[in-house]
Amino acid sequence: MLDAGRHPNIELLTYSEVVRVEGEKGNFTVTIRKNSRFVDEKSCVGCGDCAKVCPVIVPNLFDLGMGARKAIYSPFPQAAPRTYVIDRDACLNKTILVCENCARACKPKCIDFDMPPEEKEFKVGAIVVATGFDEYDPRGWTNYGYARYENVLTGLEFERILNASGPSGGHLVRPADMKTPKTISFVQCVGSRSVGERGYPYCSYFCCMNTIKNSLLAKVHEPDIEKIYIFYNDIRAFGKGYEELYLRAKEDKDVIFYKGKPAKIEEDPKTKDLWIYIENTDTKVVEKIRSDIVILSSAGVPAEGTAKLARILGIELDQSGFFKQKDPTSFLESAKEGIYLCGSAAGLKDITDSVALGSAAALKVSEHLKGQRVKREEEKVIPIQTDGRPRIGVFVCHCGINIAGVVNVAEVEEYAKSLPGVAYVSRELFTCSDGTQRFMQEKIKEEKLNRVVVAACTPRTHEPIFQETCRRAGLNPYLFEMANIRDQCSWVHAAEPEAATHKAKDLLRMAVARAYHLEPLETRQVPMDSKILIIGGGIAGISAALDLAIKGEKVTLIEKSDQLGGRVKELGRLLNSELNGKELIKRKLDELKKRKVKIITKAKVKEVKGFVGNFEVTIEKPPSEKGKKPKKEVLKVGSIILAIGSDLYLPKDKFGYGKFPHVLTNMELEKLLAKESKELKIAGKKPKEVAFIQCVGSREKEGNQYCSRYCCQVAIKQAIELAKQGIHVTVFYRDIRTFDKGAEEAYREARGLGVVFLKYEEDVPPEVLGKDKATTITLSQPLSKTEFELPVDAVILSVGMVPKEEDFAELQNLLKIPRGLDGFFLERHSKLGPVETNTSGIFICGCAHSPKGIADSIFSAQGAAGKACILTSKDHIDLEPLVCQVVDQELCRACGICVKLCEFNAPQLVGRGDGVLVCEINEALCKGCGTCAAYCPTGAIGARHFTDEQIDVMVDSLLVWDK
Amino acid sequence: MTKKGALVIGGGVAGIQAALDLADSHFQVYLVERSSTLGGRMAQIDKTFPTMDCAI
């Protein structure tokens, strides 16, 4: 957020809207109206003096009306930009009264009550629509009493209550009496998966995981919570790592997952407690559950103004009121060329997918911006001299109550003043906020600080932000150090504030000691090769190659098998689409043929050398004739996109697979459907009664814990096709996960066609019985003590996706990128870096990252391609200077331990000329892990930025505790 | 002649990502947001799962 606010190539137009769009792709003229803030954006520093003197108090809509703000305000502490705004509907000055308190209090004189709205025209090549969603207002669900009962909240309102900058300062309290609730209940699918006037037919995608997260988070906030009920229809934990989080919540004995939807909620008028009435589906008894607070997981609905914007843009809406995509296999494209939909614009998405879609949209947009690059001179800052005595500035962060709720930050601030080398100390509510960043920048200059320490949260997410602030102030960013007093103090020692404060001081003292010894480092520049290699020619690899080629990038696509198209080319008609898999692939390949893409089939990666911008990949092709040697080729590329896909789980000896000819996997059925679209025959005969078993090889206790994401929606698509052929279908499922656009509607259609859905528990799966063919499926339901028996002609196993071990292991080894516990390749950050890896220049997409459906694979491929394009837009790249180096060649005895240890082949033994071998480290290959430095028996190798001296002083300072 | 840029409508997490990626590729971006601040829905929520990083 902050990055976007201060990027030199981004002109931020907040409090603004699009009023007119003319022209076409490559050449739009857009008129934007900037509404009046009545506060000058250029001069406002966000000090807040104006709000202090404003006499008007109104509900803060950012807190959904739960908190209060003044008529002149900034909605939340970390707001970017920090510029205040006057709510003229609330401001006294619009009436006959003359107030102007704020204008008098404002020192930079930013307030202008007569500021007119401004209209401005811009020339753009393409447009991204990322207008998001609003929360459904659940007042229509009168039986739940929202807005009548104070302690019934929506999901977003609950988020604000948990949030440190929210109306209760992050204290978990219920609105009626500000008491901490002991029992919390979540009701899922309020307004989602609903027909008629009570909401929308689709699944809202994010609410199951949001509830699970909040149930875990609530317990972190208040360990004394006794019970958390989650009333649900199906738990939809379909993303990477989601099922694992669900299992974590399930393991907590105080979190109760209760299948069913409450009939009504009543309030006890005296205590304001709530009574939830719900029928227990196992015992058929209506139960009455008391809860202190109820959270309605409200649907996401199209953002206000979507219809108006659609008219302005000249694009259509779908039945639910979201923007309409051109084609269900592509989330990005609207019907009008040059206008792209991302985030929740075309239908709801979660954060991870919104981020990937954002990168994907950037790629599509850049197709229309050929030759429009801007070169900007870097802002010149006067460098701060760093060779004198260290003058350390310490900034201690409250993080709202996230830290200050436990750690005595005032004491930490006082303590900091006593530490050697510390020249300046300050304490801020949110150190990462835009205002504080500017303040830090000024203080660095003003106080001549040449080292900065921030005692706040994790360097993983925030170090780059503070380093950038140092850089802007003219301070070398490597003279910055962080003490994590949130994760390591306030979070883990929440129950012991004194000890947490003590530890915070320890960590700060260590950080200051290290800062004292930090040295300025310079980034290194290496040339950037603009060629891109894509490994894997399935739908993800093809999509990435095509979009890159359209953009004009130089692409090489390699595929292990003898033809492109992967699994998709064998699929029948796709869900909610007129296309079948073969046609989809053909369409893309036809387009691909028109462009200059180097395609190499039957190729395997044999060796990978080099680093970002400068990879050398050796591939091998089988010999053209027997007896000859395999052909090798070296490809020089700047970045690599890994799109190797996945395998399907092999259900060996499960549910009679391999034993009975009438037990097929969903892929085997799909191939039959793709071939014989008119009438399905299994083993030569048309079946009358077919059963599907879901989650075969997915969501297992032992084995694959994850959900395979694609299989529910595929089963429903297949069930509909069979039902339309007059075949009776029964689906044995655990949770039906139909989250994609149109999938919930398909689920409803399937039920309408007579498809029967029967839930089973993991511990009691259905059994497939028969002598020489599968004839019966039995399912015992222990809670209701019933036994179900179904005669069948065929059984379809919906199998999960698994990483193809051989390929994954080999590429993990060659590319040096890690894999997660699930066996798939690990992304840089589960939310903010879904298509990147920890190795710069290597990207992942499609099922190499996690199981995905077709549309998901395509946009993740476009996202990865988009990220690669950021690299190709440069002629050189900066490499982090945090690497190992041979600090003293004289000490090196050429023992070669470092060479053997290094995973990245950075150290090499080379002749020095006088016949003596010494170690040399290729800085471009070195990742700075420090393994070699730690093992080097003579101390010849050191790790830059983590020198022995810097670590020693940290340890020393830890051991001297001088209260 | 001034270069043509890209218009991004909406300053939530998706819009910000698109804007940043385009800006990092050296294109001029106009990021339009209806409200007075960036961040969208994600700025309203508390921590994000599974890493529990703050949403800002």
Side-chain angles (χ1 to χ4, degrees):
Chain A
M1 197 165 94
L2 202 60
D3 289 342
R6 59 188 190 185
H7 200 296
N9 292 344
I10 299 180
E11 183 172 341
L12 208 54
L13 302 151
T14 50
Y15 222 52
S16 303
E17 43 199 317
V18 179
V19 288
R20 207 163 33 250
V21 173
E22 281 157 353
E24 52 177 31
K25 63 169 178 175
N27 204 5
F28 290 105
T29 304
V30 183
T31 312
I32 312 254
R33 185 174 60 231
K34 204 161 172 40
N35 295 316
S36 318
R37 274 179 185 266
F38 307 103
V39 177
D40 181 35
E41 267 182 57
K42 287 197 185 80
S43 42
C44 175
V45 290
C47 64
D49 287 349
C50 51
K52 276 183 210 136
V53 296
C54 175
V56 184
I57 297 175
V58 288
N60 186 357
L61 290 181
F62 190 78
D63 289 331
L64 308 154
M66 294 185 293
R69 62 160 167 81
K70 296 296 184 68
I72 184 164
Y73 69 102
S74 170
F76 63 109
Q78 300 107 312
R82 185 85 171 101
T83 320
Y84 276 61
V85 53
I86 296 178
D87 172 0
R88 282 310 287 268
D89 292 333
C91 176
L92 288 179
N93 216 30
K94 65 153 188 186
T95 61
I96 39 167
L97 289 164
V98 178
C99 167
E100 296 188 2
N101 277 4
C102 50
R104 277 194 297 274
C106 178
K107 286 185 201 91
K109 300 287 166 230
C110 327
I111 292 164
D112 173 7
F113 287 103
D114 302 317
M115 185 183 277
E118 250 181 278
E119 279 198 8
K120 238 174 134 179
E121 263 189 15
F122 297 94
K123 296 266 182 213
V124 299
I127 299 171
V128 177
V129 183
T131 43
F133 64 93
D134 284 344
E135 196 183 36
Y136 171 75
D137 181 344
R139 265 179 288 199
W141 291 59
T142 47
N143 49 333
Y144 288 171
Y146 175 74
R148 271 186 292 134
Y149 307 148
E150 282 175 87
N151 292 328
V152 176
L153 303 174
T154 67
L156 207 53
E157 285 169 344
F158 191 60
E159 286 286 353
R160 292 311 297 155
I161 287 190
L162 289 176
N163 195 303
S165 69
S168 57
H171 292 288
L172 174 45
V173 290
R174 61 178 202 171
D177 46 18
M178 301 307 268
K179 278 190 196 147
T180 298
K182 295 272 183 216
T183 24
I184 301 178
S185 300
F186 292 90
V187 181
Q188 296 305 105
C189 299
V190 177
S192 314
R193 305 179 65 185
S194 308
V195 278
E197 287 175 5
R198 285 160 71 91
Y200 291 78
Y202 52 77
C203 161
S204 288
Y205 210 91
F206 56 77
C207 359
C208 278
M209 293 320 290
N210 195 49
T211 288
I212 289 170
K213 176 207 72 171
N214 281 343
S215 68
L216 291 168
L217 214 52
K219 291 207 69 177
V220 174
H221 276 254
E222 295 297 337
D224 295 339
I225 288 172
E226 286 158 10
K227 279 271 176 299
I228 295 177
Y229 292 96
I230 297 173
F231 300 101
Y232 71 100
N233 286 325
D234 296 279
I235 290 292
R236 296 187 164 171
F238 52 81
K240 184 167 184 171
Y242 293 7
E243 181 73 16
E244 290 84 338
L245 197 81
Y246 172 35
L247 289 174
R248 221 170 89 198
K250 268 194 2 188
E251 271 167 24
D252 190 325
K253 61 175 187 359
D254 301 333
V255 180
I256 295 158
F257 286 87
Y258 196 125
K259 186 169 165 73
K261 200 150 191 171
K264 64 173 173 182
I265 297 169
E266 278 180 1
E267 183 190 61
D268 179 333
K270 265 191 204 151
T271 60
K272 303 282 179 190
D273 292 350
L274 301 157
W275 288 99
I276 298 164
Y277 293 79
I278 184 163
E279 184 191 328
N280 184 321
T281 45
D282 293 318
T283 60
K284 310 285 178 216
V285 177
V286 174
E287 293 178 2
K288 220 177 134 187
I289 294 168
R290 199 195 59 79
S291 189
D292 293 329
I293 185 169
V294 174
I295 293 111
L296 307 178
S297 287
S298 261
V301 301
E304 195 197 329
T306 299
K308 189 176 153 198
L309 184 59
R311 272 196 305 276
I312 293 170
L313 293 169
I315 57 177
E316 277 179 62
L317 298 179
D318 68 13
Q319 284 172 332
S320 305
F322 286 101
F323 292 103
K324 196 170 174 179
Q325 303 144 264
K326 190 172 127 198
D327 171 353
T329 59
S330 169
F331 282 105
L332 283 173
E333 274 135 336
S334 74
K336 193 163 172 177
E337 281 190 87
I339 299 182
Y340 299 97
L341 310 169
C342 90
S344 293
L348 293 154
K349 285 276 171 275
D350 57 12
I351 297 171
T352 310
D353 290 345
S354 295
V355 169
L357 277 163
S359 294
L363 169 77
K364 299 300 288 181
V365 165
S366 57
E367 284 169 18
H368 304 285
L369 292 174
K370 282 174 192 163
Q372 303 295 328
R373 288 220 163 99
V374 282
K375 282 264 181 268
R376 221 171 277 272
E377 291 288 310
E378 276 212 14
E379 240 181 279
K380 287 221 166 68
V381 280
I382 308 156
I384 289 175
Q385 287 304 316
T386 52
D387 41 6
R389 238 181 82 80
R391 285 181 58 79
I392 305 171
V394 177
F395 297 84
V396 181
C397 185
H398 285 232
C399 195
I401 61 153
N402 235 322
I403 294 169
V406 178
V407 173
N408 185 337
V409 280
E411 210 179 302
V412 176
E413 181 195 15
E414 272 314 302
Y415 178 70
K417 290 178 185 162
S418 71
L419 295 170
V422 173
Y424 175 80
V425 184
S426 111
R427 180 159 52 92
E428 304 298 328
L429 192 59
F430 288 97
T431 312
C432 61
S433 71
D434 188 34
T436 310
Q437 294 300 292
R438 278 197 259 170
F439 172 76
M440 273 173 85
Q441 229 168 291
E442 279 159 28
K443 282 294 158 195
I444 292 171
K445 287 189 213 159
E446 221 173 273
E447 301 283 334
K448 299 195 170 49
L449 303 176
N450 55 20
R451 306 282 190 282
V452 171
V453 175
V454 170
C457 56
T458 170
R460 206 163 46 89
T461 52
H462 280 64
E463 191 175 51
I465 295 174
F466 297 126
Q467 285 187 318
E468 174 62 20
T469 303
C470 291
R471 201 188 59 73
R472 281 165 181 254
L475 183 63
N476 184 291
Y478 297 95
L479 296 171
F480 170 79
E481 171 70 339
M482 253 181 121
N484 187 346
I485 61 169
R486 183 192 68 179
D487 302 23
Q488 290 164 18
C489 299
S490 64
W491 278 6
V492 282
H493 307 295
E496 301 161 279
E498 268 181 40
T501 305
H502 188 110
K503 188 173 172 186
K505 289 183 195 171
D506 282 347
L507 293 179
L508 181 63
R509 186 173 64 250
M510 291 163 73
V512 167
R514 176 158 179 258
Y516 199 98
H517 293 272
L518 286 175
E519 287 158 20
L521 299 172
E522 295 305 324
T523 51
R524 297 153 299 142
Q525 288 193 338
V526 290
M528 178 75 213
D529 189 325
S530 63
K531 290 193 285 301
I532 301 168
L533 172 69
I534 300 169
I535 306 175
I539 184 71
I542 293 174
S543 303
L546 179 58
D547 280 322
L548 286 169
I550 293 174
K551 203 188 152 258
E553 301 288 345
K554 285 168 258 165
V555 186
T556 306
L557 173 63
I558 64 168
E559 162 61 34
K560 185 182 66 171
S561 73
D562 57 358
Q563 55 174 318
L564 300 179
R567 239 182 346 254
V568 174
K569 69 175 179 296
E570 296 179 279
L571 301 181
R573 195 188 58 82
L574 309 171
L575 181 66
N576 293 330
S577 169
E578 296 306 312
L579 286 180
N580 67 30
K582 198 175 163 185
E583 287 157 355
L584 175 68
I585 293 290
K586 188 175 175 298
R587 225 184 245 196
K588 295 226 175 216
L589 288 182
D590 287 347
E591 281 293 311
L592 204 56
K593 272 180 207 150
K594 292 184 206 157
R595 334 250 160 199
K596 283 186 217 148
V597 173
K598 185 172 173 183
I599 298 169
I600 310 173
T601 52
K602 292 195 266 182
K604 279 197 84 170
V605 180
K606 276 290 162 199
E607 196 183 0
V608 180
K609 284 201 283 197
F611 48 90
V612 55
N614 302 273
F615 289 109
E616 273 185 27
V617 183
T618 311
I619 57 163
E620 191 181 89
K621 286 193 72 171
S624 46
E625 286 169 50
K626 266 189 185 172
K628 279 197 177 167
K629 269 192 184 170
K631 279 188 273 183
K632 278 194 181 173
E633 189 179 343
V634 178
L635 304 169
K636 287 190 175 177
V637 296
S639 38
I640 298 172
I641 296 175
L642 199 54
I644 61 168
S646 65
D647 250 358
L648 291 176
Y649 175 81
L650 185 68
K652 217 176 138 200
D653 303 329
K654 278 195 176 170
F655 303 107
Y657 185 80
K659 188 172 154 200
F660 304 127
H662 299 79
V663 179
L664 313 178
T665 67
N666 49 355
M667 187 68 197
E668 287 161 349
L669 172 67
E670 189 65 33
K671 285 181 192 171
L672 292 176
L673 287 172
K675 229 180 351 194
E676 310 163 48
S677 53
K678 289 221 178 75
E679 192 163 77
L680 173 74
K681 280 188 181 141
I682 292 176
K685 223 176 119 187
K686 181 180 171 179
K688 281 190 188 133
E689 188 72 49
V690 172
F692 283 75
I693 301 175
Q694 298 301 106
C695 298
V696 180
S698 307
R699 304 181 64 191
E700 300 170 308
K701 266 204 188 95
E702 315 273 323
N704 303 328
Q705 270 197 354
Y706 54 84
C707 161
S708 289
R709 188 173 174 130
Y710 84 100
C711 7
C712 278
Q713 300 184 157
V714 166
I716 281 170
K717 181 205 78 167
Q718 293 177 334
I720 289 173
E721 279 188 49
L722 298 193
K724 282 184 176 165
Q725 292 186 21
I727 300 167
H728 187 249
V729 181
T730 308
V731 180
F732 293 88
Y733 74 99
R734 288 176 56 199
D735 291 282
I736 288 292
R737 295 181 168 175
T738 41
F739 49 87
D740 267 336
K741 192 169 179 172
E744 182 67 26
E745 290 86 337
Y747 178 28
R748 194 167 292 118
E749 183 192 346
R751 281 177 291 170
L753 287 166
V755 176
V756 176
F757 289 85
L758 280 176
K759 186 173 164 74
Y760 76 91
E761 298 299 324
E762 191 196 359
D763 302 331
V764 202
E767 271 184 83
V768 179
L769 306 174
K771 269 187 187 159
D772 48 355
K773 69 180 283 261
T775 50
T776 316
I777 286 193
T778 61
L779 178 70
S780 51
Q781 289 167 315
L783 285 171
S784 55
K785 296 197 180 93
T786 49
E787 185 89 19
F788 180 85
E789 207 177 288
L790 176 80
V792 286
D793 303 319
V795 179
I796 311 300
L797 306 181
S798 288
V799 295
M801 284 185 188
V802 291
K804 188 168 189 153
E805 190 47 41
E806 187 191 317
D807 292 351
F808 272 68
E810 205 172 297
L811 283 162
Q812 174 186 22
N813 188 31
L814 290 170
L815 295 168
K816 314 282 184 209
I817 53 171
R819 291 162 69 188
L821 288 175
D822 54 11
F824 291 93
F825 287 114
L826 202 61
E827 66 279 19
R828 179 179 67 76
H829 188 285
S830 65
K831 290 262 170 299
L832 304 176
V835 296
E836 295 153 275
T837 66
N838 274 325
T839 304
S840 176
I842 301 180
F843 306 94
I844 46 173
C845 65
C847 299
H849 163 266
S850 65
K852 285 184 178 61
I854 294 171
D856 301 331
S857 290
I858 293 176
F859 78 71
S860 90
Q862 290 168 322
K867 285 287 179 195
C869 282
I870 298 179
L871 289 179
T872 59
S873 72
K874 305 174 192 321
D875 42 18
H876 67 262
I877 43 162
D878 295 326
L879 289 185
E880 283 254 3
L882 310 186
V883 293
C884 292
Q885 57 181 350
V886 179
V887 283
D888 191 347
Q889 256 192 6
E890 291 303 320
L891 288 178
C892 178
R893 292 185 309 205
C895 64
I897 291 179
C898 51
V899 179
K900 276 190 216 125
L901 277 174
C902 181
E903 273 197 53
F904 311 101
N905 308 323
Q908 292 296 331
L909 293 180
V910 292
R912 208 170 52 176
D914 50 3
V916 178
L917 280 177
V918 287
C919 169
E920 249 178 32
I921 293 175
N922 182 340
E923 288 190 7
L925 289 177
C926 177
K927 301 268 179 282
C929 69
T931 309
C932 57
Y935 272 91
C936 179
T938 63
I941 301 179
R944 224 181 263 164
H945 203 52
F946 295 94
T947 63
D948 287 354
E949 188 193 22
Q950 287 162 4
I951 306 291
D952 281 347
V953 293
M954 286 179 89
V955 177
D956 287 348
S957 74
L958 173 66
L959 299 176
V960 278
W961 169 247
D962 52 346
K963 219 166 189 175
Chain B
M1 198 189 95
T2 49
K3 299 267 170 106
K4 263 186 227 107
L7 172 69
V8 178
I9 311 172
V13 63
I16 289 178
Q17 188 65 52
L20 278 176
D21 283 2
L22 282 163
D24 281 343
S25 306
H26 307 286
F27 294 116
Q28 174 64 45
V29 182
Y30 307 103
L31 178 55
V32 177
E33 165 59 41
R34 186 169 48 182
S35 78
S36 67
T37 164
L38 294 180
R41 294 282 161 222
M42 196 167 161
Q44 284 181 318
I45 66 176
D46 193 25
K47 302 181 180 69
T48 61
F49 69 93
T51 53
M52 297 298 173
D53 284 329
C54 87
I56 291 294

